[in-house]
Amino acid sequence: MKILNVDADCWAALGLKKLFISRGVQVTNCASFCEAKRILIEQPIDVMIIELKTAVDDIESSYAFLRLLQALYPRISVLVLTEICDAAILNFFARELKSVVILTKKSSLASIVQSVNSLAEKSPPASTRSSVPTLSLQEFNMLKWLAHYSSQQDIALRVRLNNKTISHYKRSIYLKLNCENNVQFHHRLMQYGFNRPPVG
């Protein structure tokens, strides 16, 4: 079995190598999605382990990468390790990326090994459906706009939606992420990696 670990700060790299080397598993590490794309072209990979948000990539770029990965390499199984504990975000990823298994970084080594082994055997991941509210695709896409622009009116002009629609999305996101005010909301956005200036 060949594992590709995308790990910007190398928090898991050494542990994974030590954990799997005795089992004859080859673990390759890289720091970014750009490097991962190059490795995927050069060698076959069975399981990919990634962080949902890294020091280099925010959750939006992680989502885009995972969608591309599923389209181009459907045989590769993916395990996502994350510090994010907001159920609305995690349920969004579980709903949109059905073949991805999501674990917290605090998961036991046994559950990580079990997940990797079941992914390698192509066992279908257990359903992660929850009664907790889930962000819609539109709400998820709105996170970046809300992070980078202070005015709902600016956002409405840029995405060509009515100001009231933006307001509705924002209220719905606040409820689903249990944010009571702008300070809490923007703190969450920073946790998701939306703390870099907008492009373009």
Side-chain angles (χ1 to χ4, degrees):
M1 174 176 27
K2 292 184 178 182
I3 297 175
L4 175 59
N5 179 44
V6 183
D7 183 9
D9 55 4
C10 297
W11 71 269
L14 293 173
L16 285 172
K17 276 195 173 185
K18 286 182 180 181
L19 188 63
F20 288 109
I21 195 130
S22 63
R23 297 183 168 118
V25 175
Q26 180 184 343
V27 179
T28 304
N29 291 298
C30 66
S32 71
F33 294 140
C34 288
E35 285 181 63
K37 289 175 190 174
R38 182 185 48 76
I39 292 169
L40 288 168
I41 291 168
E42 295 172 358
Q43 58 184 288
I45 299 295
D46 300 307
V47 176
M48 181 177 283
I49 300 173
I50 72 162
E51 292 180 83
L52 191 54
K53 179 201 76 81
T54 68
V56 180
D57 302 296
D58 59 38
I59 61 170
E60 185 183 37
S61 57
S62 299
Y63 174 70
F65 176 76
L66 288 169
R67 293 287 301 228
L68 182 66
L69 182 69
Q70 283 188 328
L72 297 177
Y73 303 97
R75 63 174 178 69
I76 296 177
S77 300
V78 180
L79 173 63
V80 173
L81 297 172
T82 183
E83 290 177 338
I84 294 173
C85 56
D86 290 315
I89 295 286
L90 298 177
N91 285 338
F92 167 80
F93 274 86
R95 185 189 72 225
E96 293 292 319
L97 304 164
K98 294 186 180 5
S99 65
V100 172
V101 173
I102 301 172
L103 295 176
T104 68
K105 285 186 176 180
K106 294 178 183 177
S107 296
S108 69
L109 288 177
S111 66
I112 292 172
V113 170
Q114 179 183 10
S115 294
V116 168
N117 288 336
S118 67
L119 286 170
E121 295 167 4
K122 303 296 183 204
S123 302
S127 175
T128 54
R129 286 244 169 205
S130 171
S131 61
V132 175
T134 302
L135 291 180
S136 69
L137 181 58
Q138 295 84 356
E139 290 166 341
F140 181 79
N141 290 332
M142 191 58 55
L143 291 175
K144 130 183 113 184
W145 294 103
L146 292 168
H148 295 302
Y149 297 97
S150 58
S151 162
Q152 287 178 193
Q153 195 169 10
D154 286 347
I155 297 169
L157 288 171
R158 290 180 184 274
V159 297
R160 295 187 174 107
L161 291 173
N162 187 300
N163 192 25
K164 288 186 178 186
T165 304
I166 304 302
S167 179
H168 169 76
Y169 283 143
K170 187 174 180 180
R171 276 194 316 273
S172 179
I173 292 168
Y174 270 46
L175 285 171
K176 291 177 181 180
L177 297 181
N178 296 316
C179 294
E180 295 177 11
N181 55 44
N182 278 337
V183 173
Q184 281 183 342
F185 180 64
H186 284 281
H187 178 70
R188 288 269 169 78
L189 291 174
M190 287 179 64
Q191 288 176 327
Y192 304 153
F194 291 113
N195 53 350
R196 290 176 282 287
V199 179

